[in-house]
Amino acid sequence: MTARENLARRHLNQKQKQELVRDQLRETPEISDRQISKGLGVSNNTVSLARKNLINNNQVCESHTSKGADGKTYPRQRAITTRADEVEKVTKLASKLKVT
């Protein structure tokens, strides 16, 4: 039975689905977000956000490539940045330059 069928049968809540996504990312970080989202029946954004959080917490290494459904390796798109990430980068740069 595939993970998607298991998810549909078990009626998991949001936290349980997110934990399954995180587990899948830890097991196969080289697989693309789209492939994982399709396999688990969740949105691509859910997988992307989980991957970003795992990378920030050093639970998964950041990869510059991913394996697509066709088995080929593709360059990973630019990392997802949030407004908070951008503000933090500017703040660090300003403190290095001693600008207030």
Side-chain angles (χ1 to χ4, degrees):
M1 183 179 312
T2 65
R4 184 184 183 115
E5 291 169 348
N6 196 19
L7 281 173
R9 183 177 56 84
R10 290 175 56 194
H11 303 291
L12 301 176
N13 65 33
Q14 191 66 25
K15 286 185 180 184
Q16 292 169 324
K17 287 181 184 181
Q18 290 172 352
E19 186 58 37
L20 282 175
V21 169
R22 287 190 293 270
D23 290 343
Q24 184 67 48
L25 285 167
R26 287 183 194 110
E27 290 175 24
T28 56
E30 71 280 0
I31 303 292
S32 71
D33 293 350
R34 287 185 183 186
Q35 210 174 344
I36 291 172
S37 66
K38 186 176 181 183
L40 295 178
V42 297
S43 75
N44 186 33
N45 290 340
T46 299
V47 178
S48 297
L49 183 60
R51 183 183 298 274
K52 184 177 185 310
N53 288 335
L54 289 174
I55 289 170
N56 288 340
N57 293 327
N58 295 320
Q59 294 178 5
V60 173
C61 293
E62 186 171 8
S63 175
H64 298 289
T65 61
S66 65
K67 186 185 288 186
D70 58 2
K72 295 180 182 178
T73 302
Y74 295 96
R76 194 171 283 286
Q77 296 295 321
R78 181 177 73 84
I80 301 169
T81 59
T82 62
R83 179 108 171 120
D85 292 337
E86 292 173 7
V87 169
E88 183 179 342
K89 286 179 185 178
V90 169
T91 304
K92 284 181 182 179
L93 181 59
S95 66
K96 286 181 182 178
L97 299 173
K98 297 184 181 181
V99 175
T100 55

